[in-house]
Amino acid sequence: MTSRVSSATGQTGQAEQADGTVVGEQRRPDATAKDVRRLDRVIIRFAGDSGDGMQLTGDRFTSETASFGNDLSTLPNFPAEIRAPAGTLPGVSSFQLHFADHDILTPGDAPNVLVAMNPAALKANIGDVPRGAEIIVNTDEFTKRAMQKVGYAASPLEDGSLDGYQLHPVPLTTLTVEALKEFDLTRKEAERSKNMFALGLLSWMYHRPTEGTEKFLKSKFARKPDIAAANIAAFRAGWNFGETTEDFAVSYEVAPAAKAFPVGTYRNISGNLALAYGLVTASRQADLPLFLGSYPITPASDILHELSRHKNFGVRTFQAEDEIAGIGAALGAAFGGSLAVTTTSGPGVALKSETIGLAVSLELPLLVVDIQRGGPSTGLPTKTEQADLLQAMYGRNGEAPVPIVAPCTPADCFDAALEAARIALTYRTPVFLLSDGYLANGSEPWRIPEVDELPDLRVQFASGPNHTLDDGTEVFWPYKRDPQTLARPWAIPGTPGLEHRIGGIEKQDGTGNISYDPANHDLMVRTRQAKIDGIEVPDLRVDDPDGARTLVLGWGSTYGPITAAVRRLRAAGEAVAQAHLRHLNPFPRNLGEVLGAYDRVVVPEMNLGQLATLVRARYLVDARSYNQVNGMPFKAEQLAAALKEAIHDH
């Protein structure tokens, strides 16, 4: 779903508010119609059993919100099990959406509206819901057995525990079955549409467009037109229920965020989808076929699924039998002249490490995409973490330096993929692209770039001899380097006269022949390190309008929460500077100078202090860690409190 922003004034810089403030109220011309209140922002969380379709419901609400023109940010949250036990706390799946009429950065700290499809969903999420918020519950699911299963001794709908909230008890299942009685469906089949009834109700409450969802349902169930019609009927019934019931006396409007966006054509995009599009774009800009060698693993599998749909762009996807075979095939494709990619998460990186070291030795371009998740081992497959940084930096035998690029938002995954490809192709090296589960599954508006804005990534393959021996003979040396980049030539196998040896044993400088000479090994190790150290990356930009003494340094997906926290602090009169790293190896050349300009440096990370460790070791600064490893992104309010304490800690 795309939308066009025809005029804008750039970023508004408006502080992200702590709650959904009512900024105005109007009444429809019809005196009998319900009140319509205008809000500047809303946070909605859909929660239910993992079989209740909460991810689909949230995704459809998000798509319509994107087409309407709001700025938005999402946080899907679901169990690792394919089908967790029904009605249990571990089986709760949720989808949170934050949308606004201004520039926002996070999915929000706490929902203004909770839609709870069963007792487990209510109990699992009520702790995040602030007093005064609206709670819509499916009363049909609050049976004695269902409540006992999650530890409710008495019904929370009747014992007064929800008196501090705006409670809307709605028999969603009964209403859905009643709305679909004219269809030839069993009760169980009809009940499956209750998520569409809930979506219709919320679409009425917040004046969301409906055409896109109805079109989507017709397309999704094109082979089962009766199911499509039933879901559309349930969706419309939910809308009509909101319009007619007395329990919902007010609906809400959140205006489009026209001032938050530069002029352009926008679409809602998730991090994994943006990354896949970035890889395809990089291959086209490099004029090289794209090859993906991969093995399915959460949360990276969506990239494999998406790229497999784009054979028309010269994309070849190979689902290997395991992680090692996946990267082995990708490295072979790189040797053959493709833009080669392997996608995985932390456990897969462990298996791929030997081949990454081989790619370092062979000095071939290869993109290693790591969508980080909670660990160690299998850990928390569907939760987010930033704990693979040191693995990417050092997780290989020997001195095997690899550049590292980290996107900061879902949409930024597109640009990060292009940047990783630029480095890999220019410097003939494997490159780590460190995303995470929060970015991969979250979504936000993305401005579709114009073709002339994209970088030229074309490379020249070796075509003939490049070295003259003392006797005047012209030969090809596979490790004769470009004096600027230290990159070796890329010779396509089968090119006459360019035959050369490859393998993991140390190579002689220049010729590439096997060498066990100690001095040569020292030279090659230092040369490979110098090539990485010499990669051209932009200087680190610092946002410091007030001459602060405290710098907040982040990387990756902490950008949104950090920026939201910094905005809150500045709105409260605090002086704080912010900088965010995209390049983690090599670091920007001015990083040491930036760090030295501040009295205090705070590094928030979703690990136990990995970037802080690197910064302290490299620059000898007293960088302070602020860490969280609970599988969830930081909350802006939580970060703001921690940063305020750091600012005033003398």
Side-chain angles (χ1 to χ4, degrees):
M1 188 73 69
T2 60
S3 59
R4 180 77 184 174
V5 177
S6 59
S7 63
T9 57
Q11 299 297 315
T12 65
Q14 180 173 346
E16 186 166 341
Q17 301 299 314
D19 54 24
T21 305
V22 177
V23 297
E25 182 175 332
Q26 67 179 19
R27 184 177 293 273
R28 291 174 177 170
D30 181 357
T32 62
K34 298 181 180 182
D35 285 346
V36 179
R37 294 180 184 172
R38 291 182 178 174
L39 307 178
D40 65 348
R41 58 188 285 278
V42 175
I43 303 167
I44 298 174
R45 183 181 298 178
F46 298 93
D49 193 71
S50 56
D52 284 339
M54 293 297 93
Q55 303 304 318
L56 175 63
T57 304
D59 184 66
R60 288 314 314 159
F61 196 94
T62 299
S63 294
E64 298 297 356
T65 297
S67 69
F68 187 71
N70 295 119
D71 195 9
L72 62 88
S73 179
T74 68
L75 178 62
N77 186 17
F78 42 86
E81 290 81 9
I82 294 174
R83 186 67 175 90
T88 64
L89 293 175
V92 173
S93 174
S94 68
F95 188 105
Q96 183 162 305
L97 165 67
H98 183 190
F99 61 103
D101 65 2
H102 59 275
D103 173 33
I104 58 172
L105 299 152
T106 75
D109 289 357
N112 308 118
V113 181
L114 171 65
V115 181
M117 302 296 281
N118 62 14
L122 178 64
K123 187 159 191 177
N125 291 280
I126 190 64
D128 294 335
V129 183
R131 294 285 174 168
E134 294 191 80
I135 299 177
I136 301 171
V137 295
N138 179 13
T139 55
D140 289 325
E141 296 296 323
F142 280 72
T143 63
K144 184 176 182 180
R145 182 183 178 190
M147 290 186 290
Q148 288 178 340
K149 189 181 290 188
V150 295
Y152 279 129
S155 172
L157 309 184
E158 300 171 355
D159 65 4
S161 60
L162 300 179
D163 287 350
Y165 305 93
Q166 299 180 56
L167 181 64
H168 300 284
V170 180
L172 287 172
T173 305
T174 299
L175 291 170
T176 302
V177 172
E178 178 68 19
L180 302 184
K181 63 182 180 180
E182 64 185 71
F183 293 87
D184 186 20
L185 300 173
T186 66
R187 180 179 176 86
K188 188 173 183 179
E189 289 173 333
E191 287 178 358
R192 289 176 183 163
S193 297
K194 63 180 180 289
N195 63 325
M196 288 297 104
F197 189 100
L199 178 60
L201 172 57
L202 269 293
S203 297
W204 171 83
M205 283 181 65
Y206 291 98
H207 297 209
R208 299 297 91 185
T210 60
E211 295 80 3
T213 292
E214 294 193 9
K215 183 178 179 181
F216 167 82
L217 291 171
K218 290 177 182 177
S219 174
K220 180 177 177 63
F221 299 107
R223 296 183 179 180
K224 298 180 179 179
D226 54 335
I227 300 296
N231 276 281
I232 292 172
F235 177 66
R236 291 175 177 173
W239 176 283
N240 293 334
F241 177 76
E243 182 72 29
T244 57
T245 183
E246 295 182 1
D247 191 40
F248 292 90
V250 177
S251 64
Y252 304 92
E253 286 184 347
V254 181
K259 293 182 179 181
F261 303 120
V263 174
T265 302
Y266 287 78
R267 61 157 294 162
N268 182 50
I269 200 165
S270 69
N272 273 352
L273 183 57
L275 204 156
Y277 286 177
L279 293 173
V280 175
T281 302
S283 77
R284 305 311 297 168
Q285 292 302 106
D287 197 20
L288 296 174
L290 178 66
F291 180 90
L292 174 67
S294 184
Y295 182 76
I297 184 171
T298 302
S301 300
D302 285 342
I303 302 172
L304 169 61
H305 301 159
E306 182 60 33
L307 289 179
S308 69
R309 299 186 178 105
H310 297 291
K311 297 178 179 65
N312 56 315
F313 288 113
V315 178
R316 286 172 286 180
T317 53
F318 171 55
Q319 180 174 318
E321 65 267 29
D322 56 38
E323 296 280 7
I324 298 171
I327 190 173
L331 185 56
F335 179 58
S338 292
L339 176 59
V341 184
T342 189
T343 52
T344 189
S345 191
V349 173
L351 294 169
K352 296 178 188 291
S353 291
E354 182 181 3
T355 307
I356 297 172
L358 177 59
V360 171
S361 176
L362 298 182
E363 300 189 45
L364 287 170
L366 173 67
L367 301 186
V368 181
V369 178
D370 177 5
I371 313 297
Q372 301 168 94
R373 70 189 206 185
S377 188
T378 305
L380 303 174
T382 60
K383 309 303 179 184
T384 195
E385 207 163 272
Q386 287 184 299
D388 294 352
L389 176 55
L390 293 183
Q391 181 185 33
M393 185 75 79
Y394 299 121
R396 294 163 295 283
N397 63 295
E399 296 286 348
V402 175
I404 303 172
V405 176
C408 63
T409 69
D412 187 50
C413 289
F414 177 88
D415 295 316
L418 288 170
E419 175 64 359
R422 176 192 73 85
I423 293 173
L425 294 170
T426 302
Y427 296 90
R428 313 284 199 270
T429 177
V431 177
F432 261 103
L433 181 55
L434 285 186
S435 179
D436 61 39
Y438 171 40
L439 296 183
N441 297 317
S443 63
E444 67 176 351
W446 170 58
R447 187 181 71 85
I448 302 173
E450 302 294 336
V451 174
D452 58 8
E453 298 173 0
L454 300 172
D456 184 351
L457 301 179
R458 289 174 294 181
V459 297
Q460 293 295 321
F461 292 114
S463 58
N466 63 355
H467 184 75
T468 303
L469 300 177
D470 292 340
D471 64 2
T473 304
E474 292 187 339
V475 297
F476 175 67
W477 274 14
Y479 283 83
K480 184 170 185 176
R481 301 178 183 279
D482 181 289
Q484 298 298 320
T485 65
L486 298 183
R488 79 174 186 92
W490 194 0
I492 301 300
T495 306
L498 303 190
E499 298 86 358
H500 60 284
R501 182 189 302 273
I502 63 169
I505 298 178
E506 185 62 281
K507 296 144 187 65
Q508 184 182 52
D509 181 38
T511 69
N513 295 328
I514 289 176
S515 173
Y516 296 101
D517 177 63
N520 178 77
H521 177 58
D522 185 271
L523 173 64
M524 293 298 282
V525 167
R526 294 180 186 277
T527 300
R528 287 189 289 261
Q529 184 66 57
K531 181 176 72 170
I532 304 307
D533 291 342
I535 291 173
E536 289 290 333
V537 302
D539 279 349
L540 181 65
R541 294 185 298 176
V542 182
D543 176 23
D544 184 6
D546 303 312
R549 305 312 307 158
T550 299
L551 172 71
V552 188
L553 180 68
W555 70 278
S557 66
T558 57
Y559 173 78
I562 289 175
T563 306
V566 166
R567 287 182 179 182
R568 293 185 183 200
L569 289 172
R570 289 176 180 169
E574 301 285 355
V576 59
Q578 179 187 0
H580 208 79
L581 288 167
R582 162 174 281 188
H583 297 89
L584 296 153
N585 193 31
F587 284 131
R589 284 171 173 74
N590 69 331
L591 177 55
E593 177 185 347
V594 167
L595 295 173
Y598 292 90
D599 297 336
R600 290 170 295 277
V601 177
V602 184
V603 186
E605 297 180 80
M606 292 187 293
N607 55 46
L608 293 182
Q610 297 188 14
L611 175 61
T613 296
L614 294 173
V615 165
R616 290 171 68 94
R618 179 75 60 87
Y619 301 104
L620 303 180
V621 298
D622 185 20
R624 308 182 190 183
S625 288
Y626 182 73
N627 309 117
Q628 173 178 296
V629 279
N630 62 6
M632 297 294 288
F634 283 111
K635 293 183 177 180
E637 182 179 1
Q638 160 198 3
L639 264 182
L643 296 177
K644 183 176 181 179
E645 183 178 340
I647 291 171
H648 295 285
D649 181 16
H650 298 295

